[in-house]
Amino acid sequence: MITKTATVDRWNPSPHLIAKAARVIQAGGLVAFPTETVYGLGADALNPEAVSKIFTAKGRPQDNPLILHVYNIAHAYQFVEFNDAAMNLAKVFWPGPLTFVLPAKDIVPSITRGGLETAAVRMPDNVTALSLIFTAGTPIAAPSANISGRPSPTDSDTVYRDMNGKIDFILDGGSVKFGIESTVIDLTDEKRPLMLRPGSMPREIIEKELGMTLEVPDSVSKKRSPGTNYRHYAPSIPVKIWRKGSKLPADCAYMGIDKPKNVDMKKAIIFDSLGNYARGLFSGFRKFESENVSCIAVQWPEYEFGIAEGLRDRISRAAGLS
Ligand code: AMP
Ligand code: MG
């Protein structure tokens, strides 16, 4: 298969290119596209054969369910049973990096749901993504556009490197806004909302709007989100945690927002904000991997608010700690 890439303007994507990509989706093919979190690998979520191609292209375990990307709240209504909590959060936070797990309607194929009774829905905050979903006229199932287990792609070149020859089309809409995936919450029981995966939408603002805390799933509910059980986001070289004030592990490249003593600046990325750290984490992993360093030390972001929790989750998984 030949994988073609087309560059689109992020605020005003060419209707011609969007229509071309939408036809690929409608024909059961695979299209990678930008979202505000990371690049997604999309297929028609209602077409089981198309969805199975996502699992094959990524080498993704079949029990790991996919998020249905929709173009507005009414669209989402067709695929899951909303409750008041979900409705309220959708009105406040969509489009945005917040995914809801809710009871699935029958129209959602089992393969898209990973065999579960629930489905995950999200409206991305990206013009190219929304135009593609709207034009295709179908929800788009889209995990990150990387080989399963690898760091997620935050630009189209990285998608190309992982997916060349495996997918039909890549829409290149430049680099992404957040750099880590959406926050996934389970609202199946609206009296007991669960944080299934921390991400780009900070916990505290969701909790404030909900008026409730998001519980961490126990081992039973964890089984309900199988994706969280796999090793993820990892480069092929060891990732080690560095805490501010401690000694930097010898010979490692480094990424973080503080500058450790004795750091070798030839193999270090110092970010000027937590947001830029999140945006640059995955591409930094890949950069150092290609430079054949022996390990990567990353700063543990010890902050209570914002994207820090999502960043800690990605870092601890990349380091094989959870
Ligand atoms: P990914 O698309 O790889 O970024 O991962 C999507 C995340 O959403 C994974 O952690 C999945 O386990 C989770 N997810 C998707 N659908 C469901 C569902 N129906 N129930 C629980 N978790 C889900
Ligand atoms: Mg992923």
Side-chain angles (χ1 to χ4, degrees):
M1 180 188 296
I2 305 217
T3 302
K4 290 193 187 133
T5 301
T7 302
V8 291
D9 184 290
R10 74 169 68 223
W11 299 115
N12 196 10
S14 144
H16 166 74
L17 291 171
I18 294 292
K20 196 169 159 185
R23 282 195 299 274
V24 174
I25 296 284
Q26 289 164 344
L30 299 181
V31 176
F33 60 96
T35 77
E36 79 280 38
T37 58
V38 300
Y39 270 73
L41 177 54
D44 179 353
L46 304 183
N47 176 344
E49 257 174 57
V51 171
S52 79
K53 292 180 190 167
I54 293 180
F55 288 93
T56 309
K58 284 184 59 99
R60 181 176 173 109
Q62 288 271 349
D63 66 351
N64 193 354
L66 305 176
I67 298 170
L68 284 83
H69 291 73
V70 297
Y71 63 79
N72 62 21
I73 300 178
H75 193 207
Y77 247 81
Q78 298 176 33
F79 314 111
V80 289
E81 304 284 351
F82 268 72
N83 50 37
D84 289 346
M87 191 66 221
N88 184 42
L89 291 181
K91 280 183 187 164
V92 175
F93 294 119
W94 280 7
L98 180 60
T99 298
F100 306 130
V101 169
L102 290 164
K105 294 193 175 167
D106 290 345
I107 185 176
V108 182
S110 174
I111 184 170
T112 308
R113 293 184 262 126
L116 302 168
E117 299 293 300
T118 52
V121 288
R122 172 170 109 82
M123 177 185 177
D125 189 11
N126 178 288
V127 179
T128 302
L130 291 173
S131 308
L132 177 64
I133 301 161
F134 182 78
T135 308
T138 189
I140 297 186
S144 50
N146 52 280
I147 290 168
S148 205
R150 301 266 302 135
S152 307
T154 50
D155 57 53
S156 74
D157 285 350
T158 308
V159 175
Y160 187 81
R161 251 173 259 130
D162 269 21
M163 291 296 154
N164 181 24
K166 298 180 181 174
I167 67 176
D168 302 280
F169 202 43
I170 301 172
L171 285 171
D172 172 5
S175 57
V176 299
K177 183 169 160 193
F178 289 111
I180 62 175
E181 296 81 351
S182 63
T183 302
V184 182
I185 63 173
D186 185 342
L187 292 174
T188 316
D189 176 358
E190 63 179 322
K191 293 197 189 65
R192 209 176 148 248
L194 303 173
M195 169 69 87
L196 296 184
R197 175 180 75 183
S200 289
M201 180 71 76
R203 164 195 287 275
E204 64 276 8
I205 66 165
I206 307 168
E207 291 181 336
K208 185 153 190 221
E209 192 54 41
L210 264 176
M212 273 186 280
T213 39
L214 291 164
E215 288 178 39
V216 175
D218 53 29
S219 53
V220 177
S221 345
K222 243 193 178 152
K223 286 206 189 89
R224 303 212 319 248
S225 187
T228 52
N229 301 329
Y230 296 106
R231 183 148 190 247
H232 258 122
Y233 318 118
S236 55
I237 40 180
V239 172
K240 299 183 180 181
I241 308 283
W242 177 77
R243 287 170 199 270
K244 196 175 174 178
S246 70
K247 200 162 165 265
L248 195 65
D251 299 324
C252 287
Y254 170 78
M255 277 194 280
I257 57 177
D258 288 295
K259 193 171 160 189
K261 267 190 212 144
N262 307 327
V263 66
D264 175 359
M265 286 305 289
K266 288 191 294 299
K267 43 179 191 173
I269 310 174
I270 315 286
F271 298 99
D272 61 3
S273 69
L274 205 56
N276 280 336
Y277 187 8
R279 241 185 312 281
L281 180 78
F282 289 141
S283 62
F285 281 159
R286 288 186 182 249
K287 169 181 144 61
F288 288 131
E289 189 182 68
S290 72
E291 291 170 4
N292 290 318
V293 300
S294 51
C295 53
I296 308 172
V298 290
Q299 181 173 4
W300 188 247
E302 303 193 56
Y303 303 93
E304 255 181 78
F305 301 112
I307 207 161
E309 185 184 12
L311 196 48
R312 282 196 292 274
D313 172 81
R314 304 307 184 271
I315 289 171
S316 60
R317 283 169 194 279
L321 299 180
S322 57

